[in-house]
Amino acid sequence: MLGIADMYGLNGLKEVAIYILKRDYCNFFQKPIPGKQQPVLECMAIAHSLGVENLYAACMKWVGKHFAKCLSERSFASLPTELQNNCLVMLTKSLVSSI
């Protein structure tokens, strides 16, 4: 639905779709539930593919905070190589900036 809303320029519907992704896939970016990181990773891939930068950035930030748990998910391995590399770069930058 997000792709269709974006394609036809239906900004209201696009915002509703983004809200639903945040609610249903990302649980509003709360602490991770064991074994339930997969929806956030899927949402990150959707946001990246459709160019929804604010949602993508929020997913990346959450993945960075909970990287150890996300890395162990099977769905992390199935992400496109570009997204895996983006996660690693973001994690490296966050580690360097905290020194």
Side-chain angles (χ1 to χ4, degrees):
M1 181 169 33
L2 179 58
I4 293 170
D6 186 47
M7 181 172 48
Y8 288 109
L10 303 171
N11 291 329
L13 183 58
K14 184 177 176 181
E15 292 302 316
V16 169
I18 290 170
Y19 177 83
I20 290 170
L21 285 171
K22 287 179 183 177
R23 183 189 70 192
D24 295 349
Y25 278 66
C26 304
N27 196 27
F28 294 113
F29 302 105
Q30 296 180 15
K31 290 184 178 181
I33 299 168
K36 296 292 183 181
Q37 288 72 247
Q38 178 180 353
V40 177
L41 296 172
E42 290 174 1
C43 185
M44 182 176 66
I46 291 168
H48 181 264
S49 68
L50 295 174
V52 183
E53 292 300 320
N54 59 348
L55 181 58
Y56 176 72
C59 290
M60 286 291 283
K61 182 178 177 182
W62 189 89
V63 168
K65 287 173 99 175
H66 308 288
F67 189 74
K69 292 179 181 179
C70 292
L71 184 62
S72 64
E73 286 284 321
R74 199 177 296 192
S75 57
F76 185 83
S78 65
L79 285 174
T81 305
E82 177 186 3
L83 289 180
Q84 290 177 358
N85 290 337
N86 290 349
C87 288
L88 293 173
V89 167
M90 184 265 315
L91 180 64
T92 304
K93 285 181 181 178
S94 70
L95 291 173
V96 169
S97 66
S98 66
I99 292 179

Coordinates of all heavy atoms in Angstrom, one line a residue:
M1 N 0.8 -1.2 0.0 CA 0.0 0.0 0.0 C 0.9 1.3 0.0 O 0.5 2.2 -0.6 CB -0.9 0.0 1.2 CG -1.8 1.2 1.2 SD -3.2 1.3 2.4 CE -2.7 0.4 3.8
L2 N 2.0 1.2 0.7 CA 2.9 2.4 0.8 C 3.4 2.7 -0.6 O 3.5 3.9 -1.0 CB 4.0 2.1 1.7 CG 5.1 3.2 1.9 CD1 4.4 4.5 2.4 CD2 6.1 2.7 2.9
G3 N 3.8 1.7 -1.4 CA 4.3 1.9 -2.7 C 3.3 2.5 -3.6 O 3.6 3.4 -4.4
I4 N 2.0 2.1 -3.5 CA 1.0 2.6 -4.4 C 0.7 4.1 -4.0 O 0.5 4.9 -4.8 CB -0.3 1.8 -4.3 CG1 0.0 0.4 -4.9 CG2 -1.5 2.4 -4.9 CD1 -1.1 -0.6 -4.7
A5 N 0.6 4.3 -2.7 CA 0.4 5.7 -2.2 C 1.5 6.6 -2.7 O 1.2 7.8 -3.1 CB 0.3 5.7 -0.7
D6 N 2.7 6.1 -2.6 CA 3.9 7.0 -3.1 C 3.8 7.2 -4.6 O 4.0 8.3 -5.1 CB 5.2 6.3 -2.7 CG 6.4 7.1 -3.0 OD1 6.4 8.3 -2.7 OD2 7.4 6.6 -3.6
M7 N 3.5 6.2 -5.3 CA 3.4 6.2 -6.8 C 2.4 7.3 -7.3 O 2.6 8.0 -8.2 CB 3.1 4.9 -7.4 CG 3.1 4.8 -8.9 SD 2.9 3.2 -9.6 CE 1.6 2.4 -8.7
Y8 N 1.2 7.3 -6.6 CA 0.1 8.2 -7.0 C 0.1 9.5 -6.2 O -0.8 10.3 -6.4 CB -1.2 7.5 -6.8 CG -1.4 6.4 -7.9 CD1 -1.4 5.1 -7.5 CD2 -1.6 6.8 -9.2 CE1 -1.6 4.1 -8.5 CE2 -1.8 5.8 -10.2 CZ -1.8 4.5 -9.8 OH -2.0 3.5 -10.7
G9 N 1.1 9.7 -5.4 CA 1.2 11.0 -4.6 C 0.2 11.2 -3.6 O -0.2 12.3 -3.3
L10 N -0.3 10.1 -3.0 CA -1.4 10.2 -2.0 C -0.7 10.3 -0.6 O -0.5 9.3 0.1 CB -2.3 9.0 -2.1 CG -3.0 8.8 -3.4 CD1 -3.7 7.4 -3.4 CD2 -4.0 9.9 -3.7
N11 N -0.3 11.6 -0.3 CA 0.5 11.8 0.9 C -0.2 11.3 2.2 O 0.4 10.8 3.1 CB 0.9 13.2 1.0 CG 2.0 13.5 -0.1 OD1 2.7 12.7 -0.5 ND2 1.9 14.8 -0.5
G12 N -1.5 11.6 2.3 CA -2.3 11.1 3.5 C -2.2 9.6 3.7 O -2.0 9.1 4.8
L13 N -2.5 8.9 2.6 CA -2.4 7.5 2.6 C -1.0 7.0 2.9 O -0.8 6.0 3.7 CB -2.9 6.9 1.3 CG -3.0 5.3 1.3 CD1 -3.9 4.8 2.3 CD2 -3.5 4.9 -0.1
K14 N 0.0 7.7 2.4 CA 1.4 7.3 2.6 C 1.7 7.4 4.1 O 2.3 6.6 4.7 CB 2.3 8.2 1.8 CG 3.7 7.9 1.9 CD 4.6 8.8 1.0 CE 6.0 8.5 1.1 NZ 6.8 9.4 0.2
E15 N 1.3 8.5 4.7 CA 1.5 8.7 6.2 C 0.8 7.7 7.0 O 1.4 7.2 8.0 CB 1.1 10.1 6.6 CG 1.9 11.2 6.0 CD 3.4 11.1 6.4 OE1 3.7 10.8 7.5 OE2 4.2 11.3 5.5
V16 N -0.4 7.3 6.6 CA -1.1 6.2 7.3 C -0.4 4.9 7.2 O -0.2 4.1 8.2 CB -2.6 6.1 6.8 CG1 -3.2 4.8 7.3 CG2 -3.4 7.3 7.2
A17 N 0.1 4.6 6.0 CA 0.9 3.4 5.8 C 2.2 3.3 6.6 O 2.5 2.3 7.2 CB 1.2 3.2 4.3
I18 N 2.9 4.5 6.7 CA 4.1 4.6 7.5 C 3.7 4.4 9.0 O 4.4 3.7 9.7 CB 4.8 5.9 7.3 CG1 5.4 6.0 5.8 CG2 5.9 6.2 8.3 CD1 5.9 7.3 5.4
Y19 N 2.6 5.0 9.4 CA 2.2 4.8 10.8 C 1.9 3.3 11.1 O 2.3 2.8 12.2 CB 1.0 5.6 11.1 CG 0.4 5.4 12.5 CD1 1.0 6.1 13.6 CD2 -0.6 4.5 12.7 CE1 0.5 5.9 14.8 CE2 -1.1 4.3 14.0 CZ -0.6 5.0 15.1 OH -1.0 4.8 16.3
I20 N 1.3 2.6 10.2 CA 0.9 1.2 10.4 C 2.2 0.4 10.4 O 2.3 -0.5 11.2 CB 0.0 0.7 9.3 CG1 -1.4 1.4 9.5 CG2 -0.1 -0.8 9.3 CD1 -2.4 1.1 8.4
L21 N 3.2 0.7 9.6 CA 4.5 0.0 9.6 C 5.2 0.2 11.0 O 5.7 -0.7 11.5 CB 5.4 0.5 8.5 CG 5.0 0.0 7.1 CD1 5.9 0.7 6.0 CD2 5.3 -1.5 7.0
K22 N 5.2 1.4 11.4 CA 5.8 1.7 12.7 C 5.1 1.0 13.9 O 5.7 0.5 14.8 CB 5.7 3.2 13.0 CG 6.7 4.0 12.2 CD 6.6 5.5 12.6 CE 7.5 6.4 11.8 NZ 7.3 7.8 12.1
R23 N 3.7 0.9 13.8 CA 3.0 0.3 14.8 C 3.1 -1.3 14.8 O 3.4 -1.9 15.7 CB 1.5 0.7 14.7 CG 0.6 0.1 15.8 CD -0.8 0.3 15.5 NE -1.2 -0.5 14.4 CZ -2.4 -0.4 13.7 NH1 -3.2 0.6 14.1 NH2 -2.7 -1.2 12.7
D24 N 2.8 -1.8 13.6 CA 2.7 -3.3 13.5 C 4.0 -4.0 13.3 O 4.2 -5.1 13.8 CB 1.8 -3.7 12.3 CG 0.3 -3.2 12.6 OD1 0.0 -2.8 13.7 OD2 -0.5 -3.3 11.7
Y25 N 4.9 -3.4 12.5 CA 6.2 -4.0 12.3 C 7.3 -3.6 13.3 O 8.1 -4.5 13.7 CB 6.8 -3.6 10.9 CG 6.2 -4.4 9.7 CD1 4.9 -4.3 9.4 CD2 7.0 -5.2 9.0 CE1 4.4 -5.0 8.3 CE2 6.5 -5.9 7.9 CZ 5.2 -5.8 7.6 OH 4.7 -6.6 6.5
C26 N 7.3 -2.4 13.7 CA 8.3 -1.9 14.6 C 7.9 -1.7 16.0 O 8.8 -1.4 16.9 CB 8.8 -0.5 14.0 SG 9.4 -0.6 12.3
N27 N 6.7 -1.9 16.4 CA 6.2 -1.8 17.7 C 6.6 -0.4 18.3 O 7.1 -0.3 19.4 CB 6.7 -2.9 18.6 CG 6.0 -3.1 19.9 OD1 4.8 -2.6 20.0 ND2 6.6 -3.6 20.9
F28 N 6.6 0.6 17.5 CA 7.0 1.9 17.8 C 8.4 2.0 18.3 O 8.7 2.8 19.2 CB 6.0 2.6 18.8 CG 4.6 2.8 18.2 CD1 3.6 2.1 18.6 CD2 4.5 3.7 17.1 CE1 2.3 2.3 18.1 CE2 3.2 3.9 16.6 CZ 2.1 3.2 17.0
F29 N 9.3 1.1 17.9 CA 10.7 1.1 18.2 C 11.0 1.0 19.7 O 11.9 1.6 20.2 CB 11.4 2.3 17.6 CG 11.3 2.4 16.1 CD1 10.4 3.3 15.5 CD2 11.9 1.5 15.3 CE1 10.2 3.4 14.2 CE2 11.8 1.6 13.9 CZ 10.9 2.5 13.3
Q30 N 10.2 0.1 20.4 CA 10.4 -0.1 21.8 C 11.5 -1.2 21.9 O 12.0 -1.6 20.9 CB 9.1 -0.6 22.4 CG 8.1 0.5 22.5 CD 6.8 0.0 23.1 OE1 6.8 -1.0 23.8 NE2 5.7 0.8 22.9
K31 N 11.8 -1.6 23.1 CA 12.8 -2.6 23.3 C 12.4 -3.9 22.5 O 11.2 -4.2 22.4 CB 13.0 -2.9 24.8 CG 13.6 -1.8 25.6 CD 13.8 -2.2 27.0 CE 14.5 -1.1 27.7 NZ 14.8 -1.5 29.1
P32 N 13.4 -4.6 22.1 CA 13.1 -5.8 21.3 C 12.5 -6.9 22.1 O 12.9 -7.1 23.2 CB 14.4 -6.2 20.7 CG 15.4 -5.6 21.6 CD 14.8 -4.4 22.1
I33 N 11.6 -7.6 21.5 CA 11.0 -8.8 22.1 C 11.9 -10.0 21.5 O 12.1 -10.0 20.3 CB 9.5 -9.0 21.7 CG1 8.7 -7.8 22.2 CG2 9.0 -10.3 22.2 CD1 7.3 -7.7 21.6
P34 N 12.3 -10.9 22.4 CA 13.2 -12.0 21.9 C 12.6 -12.7 20.7 O 11.5 -13.1 20.7 CB 13.2 -12.9 23.1 CG 13.0 -12.1 24.3 CD 12.0 -11.0 23.8
G35 N 13.5 -12.8 19.7 CA 13.1 -13.5 18.4 C 12.2 -12.7 17.5 O 11.7 -13.2 16.5
K36 N 11.9 -11.4 17.8 CA 11.0 -10.6 17.0 C 11.6 -9.4 16.4 O 11.0 -8.4 16.2 CB 9.8 -10.1 17.9 CG 9.0 -11.3 18.5 CD 8.2 -11.9 17.4 CE 7.3 -13.0 18.0 NZ 6.6 -13.7 17.0
Q37 N 12.9 -9.5 16.0 CA 13.5 -8.4 15.3 C 13.2 -8.4 13.8 O 13.5 -7.4 13.1 CB 15.1 -8.5 15.5 CG 15.5 -8.1 16.9 CD 15.2 -9.1 18.0 OE1 14.4 -8.9 18.8 NE2 15.8 -10.3 17.9
Q38 N 12.8 -9.5 13.3 CA 12.5 -9.7 11.9 C 11.6 -8.6 11.3 O 11.9 -8.1 10.3 CB 12.0 -11.1 11.6 CG 11.6 -11.3 10.1 CD 11.1 -12.7 9.8 OE1 11.0 -13.5 10.7 NE2 10.7 -12.9 8.6
P39 N 10.5 -8.3 12.0 CA 9.6 -7.3 11.4 C 10.3 -5.9 11.2 O 10.1 -5.2 10.2 CB 8.4 -7.2 12.3 CG 8.4 -8.5 13.0 CD 9.9 -8.9 13.1
V40 N 11.2 -5.5 12.1 CA 11.9 -4.2 12.0 C 12.8 -4.3 10.8 O 12.9 -3.3 10.0 CB 12.6 -3.9 13.3 CG1 13.4 -2.6 13.1 CG2 11.7 -3.7 14.4
L41 N 13.5 -5.4 10.6 CA 14.4 -5.6 9.5 C 13.6 -5.6 8.2 O 14.1 -5.0 7.2 CB 15.2 -6.9 9.6 CG 16.1 -7.0 10.8 CD1 16.7 -8.4 11.0 CD2 17.2 -5.9 10.7
E42 N 12.5 -6.2 8.1 CA 11.6 -6.1 6.9 C 11.2 -4.7 6.7 O 11.2 -4.2 5.5 CB 10.4 -7.0 7.1 CG 10.7 -8.5 7.1 CD 9.5 -9.4 7.4 OE1 8.4 -8.8 7.6 OE2 9.7 -10.6 7.5
C43 N 10.8 -4.0 7.7 CA 10.3 -2.6 7.6 C 11.5 -1.7 7.0 O 11.3 -0.9 6.2 CB 9.8 -2.1 8.9 SG 9.1 -0.4 8.8
M44 N 12.7 -2.0 7.5 CA 13.9 -1.2 7.1 C 14.1 -1.5 5.6 O 14.3 -0.5 4.8 CB 15.1 -1.7 7.8 CG 16.4 -0.9 7.4 SD 17.8 -1.3 8.4 CE 18.1 -3.0 7.9
A45 N 13.9 -2.7 5.1 CA 14.1 -3.0 3.7 C 13.0 -2.4 2.9 O 13.3 -1.8 1.8 CB 14.1 -4.5 3.5
I46 N 11.8 -2.3 3.4 CA 10.7 -1.7 2.6 C 10.9 -0.2 2.5 O 10.8 0.4 1.5 CB 9.3 -2.0 3.4 CG1 8.9 -3.4 3.2 CG2 8.2 -1.1 2.8 CD1 7.8 -3.9 4.1
A47 N 11.3 0.4 3.7 CA 11.5 1.9 3.7 C 12.7 2.2 2.7 O 12.6 3.2 2.0 CB 11.8 2.3 5.1
H48 N 13.7 1.4 2.7 CA 14.9 1.7 1.8 C 14.4 1.6 0.4 O 14.8 2.4 -0.5 CB 16.0 0.7 2.1 CG 17.2 1.0 1.3 ND1 17.5 0.2 0.2 CD2 18.2 1.9 1.4 CE1 18.6 0.7 -0.4 NE2 19.1 1.7 0.4
S49 N 13.7 0.5 0.0 CA 13.3 0.3 -1.4 C 12.4 1.4 -1.9 O 12.4 1.7 -3.1 CB 12.7 -1.1 -1.5 OG 11.5 -1.2 -0.9
L50 N 11.6 2.0 -1.0 CA 10.6 3.0 -1.4 C 11.1 4.4 -1.2 O 10.4 5.4 -1.5 CB 9.3 2.8 -0.7 CG 8.5 1.5 -1.1 CD1 7.3 1.3 -0.2 CD2 8.2 1.4 -2.5
G51 N 12.3 4.5 -0.6 CA 12.9 5.9 -0.4 C 12.2 6.7 0.8 O 12.2 7.9 0.7
V52 N 11.7 6.0 1.8 CA 11.1 6.7 2.9 C 12.2 6.9 3.9 O 12.4 6.0 4.8 CB 9.9 5.8 3.5 CG1 9.2 6.6 4.6 CG2 8.9 5.5 2.4
E53 N 12.9 8.0 3.8 CA 14.1 8.2 4.5 C 13.9 8.3 6.1 O 14.7 7.7 6.8 CB 14.8 9.5 4.1 CG 15.4 9.3 2.7 CD 16.4 8.2 2.5 OE1 17.2 8.1 3.4 OE2 16.4 7.5 1.5
N54 N 12.9 8.9 6.5 CA 12.7 9.0 8.0 C 12.4 7.7 8.6 O 12.9 7.4 9.7 CB 11.6 10.1 8.3 CG 10.3 9.8 7.7 OD1 10.1 8.9 6.9 ND2 9.2 10.5 8.2
L55 N 11.6 6.9 8.0 CA 11.4 5.5 8.5 C 12.6 4.6 8.4 O 12.9 3.9 9.4 CB 10.2 4.9 7.7 CG 9.8 3.5 8.2 CD1 9.4 3.5 9.7 CD2 8.6 3.0 7.3
Y56 N 13.3 4.7 7.3 CA 14.6 4.0 7.2 C 15.6 4.4 8.2 O 16.2 3.5 8.9 CB 15.1 4.2 5.8 CG 16.5 3.6 5.5 CD1 16.6 2.2 5.4 CD2 17.6 4.4 5.4 CE1 17.8 1.6 5.2 CE2 18.9 3.8 5.2 CZ 19.0 2.4 5.1 OH 20.2 1.8 4.9
A57 N 15.7 5.7 8.5 CA 16.6 6.2 9.5 C 16.2 5.7 10.9 O 17.1 5.3 11.7 CB 16.7 7.7 9.5
A58 N 14.9 5.7 11.2 CA 14.5 5.2 12.5 C 14.8 3.7 12.6 O 15.2 3.3 13.7 CB 13.0 5.5 12.6
C59 N 14.6 2.9 11.6 CA 14.9 1.5 11.6 C 16.4 1.3 11.8 O 16.8 0.4 12.6 CB 14.4 0.8 10.4 SG 12.6 0.7 10.2
M60 N 17.2 2.0 11.1 CA 18.6 1.9 11.2 C 19.1 2.2 12.6 O 19.9 1.5 13.2 CB 19.3 2.8 10.2 CG 19.3 2.3 8.8 SD 20.2 0.8 8.5 CE 21.9 1.5 8.5
K61 N 18.5 3.3 13.2 CA 18.9 3.6 14.6 C 18.5 2.5 15.6 O 19.3 2.2 16.4 CB 18.1 4.9 15.0 CG 18.5 5.5 16.3 CD 17.7 6.8 16.6 CE 18.0 7.2 18.0 NZ 17.3 8.5 18.3
W62 N 17.3 1.9 15.4 CA 16.9 0.8 16.3 C 17.8 -0.4 16.1 O 18.2 -1.0 17.1 CB 15.4 0.5 16.0 CG 14.8 -0.4 16.9 CD1 14.2 -0.1 18.1 CD2 14.8 -1.9 16.9 NE1 13.8 -1.3 18.7 CE2 14.2 -2.4 18.0 CE3 15.3 -2.8 15.9 CZ2 13.9 -3.7 18.2 CZ3 15.1 -4.1 16.2 CH2 14.4 -4.6 17.3
V63 N 18.1 -0.7 14.8 CA 19.0 -1.8 14.6 C 20.4 -1.6 15.2 O 21.0 -2.5 15.8 CB 19.1 -2.1 13.1 CG1 20.2 -3.1 12.7 CG2 17.8 -2.6 12.5
G64 N 20.9 -0.4 15.1 CA 22.1 0.0 15.7 C 22.1 -0.2 17.2 O 23.1 -0.7 17.8
K65 N 21.0 0.1 17.9 CA 20.9 -0.1 19.3 C 20.9 -1.5 19.7 O 21.3 -1.9 20.8 CB 19.7 0.7 19.9 CG 19.8 2.2 19.9 CD 18.5 2.8 20.3 CE 18.5 3.1 21.7 NZ 17.2 3.9 22.1
H66 N 20.3 -2.3 18.9 CA 20.0 -3.7 19.2 C 20.7 -4.7 18.2 O 20.2 -5.7 17.8 CB 18.5 -4.0 19.2 CG 17.8 -3.1 20.1 ND1 17.9 -3.1 21.5 CD2 17.0 -2.0 19.8 CE1 17.1 -2.1 22.0 NE2 16.6 -1.5 21.0
F67 N 21.9 -4.2 17.7 CA 22.6 -4.9 16.6 C 22.9 -6.4 16.9 O 22.7 -7.3 16.1 CB 23.9 -4.2 16.3 CG 24.5 -4.8 15.0 CD1 23.9 -4.5 13.8 CD2 25.6 -5.6 15.1 CE1 24.5 -5.0 12.6 CE2 26.1 -6.1 13.9 CZ 25.6 -5.8 12.7
A68 N 23.3 -6.7 18.2 CA 23.7 -8.1 18.5 C 22.5 -9.0 18.4 O 22.6 -10.1 17.9 CB 24.2 -8.1 19.9
K69 N 21.3 -8.5 18.7 CA 20.1 -9.4 18.6 C 19.6 -9.5 17.2 O 19.2 -10.5 16.7 CB 19.0 -8.8 19.5 CG 19.3 -8.9 21.0 CD 18.2 -8.3 21.8 CE 18.6 -8.5 23.3 NZ 17.6 -8.0 24.2
C70 N 19.8 -8.4 16.4 CA 19.4 -8.4 15.0 C 20.3 -9.3 14.2 O 19.8 -9.9 13.2 CB 19.4 -7.0 14.4 SG 18.1 -5.9 15.1
L71 N 21.6 -9.2 14.5 CA 22.5 -10.0 13.7 C 22.2 -11.5 13.8 O 22.5 -12.2 12.8 CB 24.0 -9.7 14.2 CG 25.1 -10.4 13.4 CD1 25.1 -9.9 12.0 CD2 26.4 -10.1 14.1
S72 N 21.7 -11.9 14.9 CA 21.4 -13.4 15.1 C 20.1 -13.8 14.4 O 19.9 -15.0 14.3 CB 21.3 -13.7 16.6 OG 20.2 -13.0 17.2
E73 N 19.4 -12.8 13.9 CA 18.2 -13.2 13.1 C 18.5 -13.7 11.8 O 19.4 -13.2 11.1 CB 17.3 -11.9 13.0 CG 16.6 -11.5 14.2 CD 15.4 -12.4 14.6 OE1 14.6 -12.8 13.7 OE2 15.2 -12.7 15.8
R74 N 17.8 -14.7 11.3 CA 17.9 -15.3 10.0 C 17.5 -14.2 8.9 O 18.1 -14.2 7.9 CB 17.0 -16.5 9.9 CG 17.4 -17.4 8.7 CD 16.5 -18.6 8.7 NE 16.7 -19.4 9.9 CZ 16.2 -20.6 10.1 NH1 15.6 -21.2 9.1 NH2 16.5 -21.3 11.2
S75 N 16.6 -13.4 9.3 CA 16.2 -12.4 8.3 C 17.3 -11.3 8.1 O 17.3 -10.7 7.0 CB 14.9 -11.7 8.8 OG 15.1 -11.1 10.1
F76 N 18.2 -11.1 9.0 CA 19.3 -10.2 8.7 C 20.2 -10.7 7.6 O 20.6 -10.0 6.7 CB 20.2 -10.0 10.0 CG 21.3 -9.0 9.8 CD1 21.0 -7.6 9.9 CD2 22.5 -9.3 9.5 CE1 21.9 -6.6 9.7 CE2 23.5 -8.4 9.3 CZ 23.2 -7.0 9.4
A77 N 20.4 -12.0 7.6 CA 21.2 -12.7 6.5 C 20.5 -12.6 5.2 O 21.2 -12.6 4.2 CB 21.5 -14.1 6.9
S78 N 19.2 -12.5 5.2 CA 18.5 -12.4 3.9 C 18.3 -11.0 3.4 O 17.8 -10.8 2.3 CB 17.1 -13.1 4.0 OG 16.3 -12.4 4.9
L79 N 18.8 -10.0 4.2 CA 18.7 -8.6 3.7 C 19.7 -8.4 2.5 O 20.7 -9.1 2.5 CB 19.1 -7.6 4.8 CG 18.2 -7.3 5.9 CD1 18.8 -6.5 7.0 CD2 16.9 -6.7 5.4
P80 N 19.4 -7.5 1.6 CA 20.3 -7.2 0.6 C 21.7 -6.8 1.1 O 21.8 -6.2 2.2 CB 19.7 -6.1 -0.2 CG 18.2 -6.1 0.2 CD 18.2 -6.7 1.5
T81 N 22.7 -7.1 0.4 CA 24.1 -6.8 0.9 C 24.3 -5.4 1.2 O 24.9 -5.0 2.2 CB 25.1 -7.3 -0.2 OG1 24.9 -8.7 -0.5 CG2 26.5 -7.1 0.3
E82 N 23.7 -4.5 0.4 CA 23.8 -3.1 0.6 C 23.2 -2.7 2.0 O 23.9 -1.9 2.7 CB 23.0 -2.3 -0.5 CG 23.0 -0.8 -0.3 CD 22.1 -0.1 -1.3 OE1 21.4 -0.7 -2.1 OE2 22.1 1.2 -1.2
L83 N 22.1 -3.2 2.4 CA 21.5 -2.9 3.7 C 22.4 -3.5 4.8 O 22.6 -2.8 5.9 CB 20.1 -3.4 3.8 CG 19.1 -2.7 3.0 CD1 17.7 -3.3 3.2 CD2 19.0 -1.2 3.3
Q84 N 22.9 -4.7 4.6 CA 23.8 -5.2 5.7 C 25.0 -4.4 5.8 O 25.4 -4.1 7.0 CB 24.2 -6.7 5.3 CG 23.1 -7.7 5.3 CD 23.6 -9.0 4.9 OE1 24.8 -9.2 4.4 NE2 22.7 -10.0 4.9
N85 N 25.6 -3.9 4.7 CA 26.8 -3.0 4.8 C 26.4 -1.7 5.4 O 27.2 -1.1 6.2 CB 27.4 -2.8 3.4 CG 28.0 -4.0 2.9 OD1 28.5 -4.9 3.6 ND2 28.2 -4.1 1.6
N86 N 25.2 -1.1 5.1 CA 24.8 0.1 5.7 C 24.7 0.0 7.3 O 25.0 0.9 8.0 CB 23.5 0.6 5.2 CG 23.5 1.0 3.8 OD1 24.6 1.2 3.2 ND2 22.4 1.2 3.1
C87 N 24.2 -1.2 7.7 CA 24.1 -1.4 9.1 C 25.5 -1.5 9.8 O 25.7 -0.9 10.9 CB 23.3 -2.8 9.4 SG 21.6 -2.7 9.1
L88 N 26.4 -2.2 9.1 CA 27.7 -2.3 9.7 C 28.4 -0.9 9.7 O 29.1 -0.6 10.7 CB 28.5 -3.3 8.9 CG 28.1 -4.7 9.0 CD1 28.9 -5.6 8.0 CD2 28.2 -5.2 10.4
V89 N 28.2 -0.1 8.7 CA 28.8 1.2 8.6 C 28.3 2.1 9.7 O 29.0 2.8 10.5 CB 28.6 1.9 7.2 CG1 29.0 3.4 7.3 CG2 29.5 1.2 6.2
M90 N 26.9 2.0 9.9 CA 26.3 2.8 10.9 C 26.8 2.4 12.3 O 27.0 3.2 13.2 CB 24.8 2.6 10.8 CG 23.9 3.5 11.8 SD 23.4 2.6 13.3 CE 22.9 1.1 12.7
L91 N 26.9 1.1 12.5 CA 27.4 0.6 13.8 C 28.8 1.0 14.1 O 29.1 1.5 15.2 CB 27.3 -1.0 13.9 CG 27.7 -1.6 15.1 CD1 26.9 -1.2 16.3 CD2 27.8 -3.1 15.0
T92 N 29.6 0.9 13.1 CA 31.0 1.4 13.2 C 31.1 2.9 13.5 O 31.9 3.2 14.4 CB 31.8 1.1 11.9 OG1 31.7 -0.3 11.6 CG2 33.3 1.5 12.0
K93 N 30.3 3.7 12.9 CA 30.3 5.1 13.1 C 29.8 5.4 14.6 O 30.4 6.3 15.3 CB 29.4 5.8 12.2 CG 30.0 6.0 10.8 CD 29.1 6.7 9.9 CE 29.7 6.9 8.5 NZ 28.7 7.5 7.6
S94 N 28.8 4.6 15.0 CA 28.3 4.9 16.4 C 29.4 4.5 17.4 O 29.5 5.1 18.5 CB 27.0 4.2 16.6 OG 27.2 2.8 16.7
L95 N 30.1 3.4 17.1 CA 31.2 3.0 18.1 C 32.3 4.0 18.1 O 32.9 4.3 19.2 CB 31.7 1.6 17.7 CG 30.7 0.4 17.9 CD1 31.3 -0.8 17.4 CD2 30.4 0.3 19.4
V96 N 32.7 4.5 17.0 CA 33.8 5.5 16.9 C 33.4 6.8 17.5 O 34.2 7.4 18.3 CB 34.2 5.7 15.4 CG1 35.2 6.8 15.3 CG2 34.9 4.4 14.8
S97 N 32.2 7.2 17.4 CA 31.8 8.5 17.9 C 31.6 8.4 19.4 O 31.6 9.4 20.1 CB 30.5 9.0 17.3 OG 29.4 8.1 17.6
S98 N 31.4 7.2 20.0 CA 31.3 7.1 21.4 C 32.6 7.0 22.2 O 32.7 7.0 23.4 CB 30.5 5.8 21.8 OG 31.2 4.6 21.4
I99 N 33.7 7.0 21.4 CA 35.1 6.9 22.0 C 35.5 8.3 22.5 O 35.3 9.3 22.0 CB 36.1 6.3 21.1 CG1 35.7 4.8 20.9 CG2 37.5 6.4 21.6 CD1 36.6 4.0 19.9

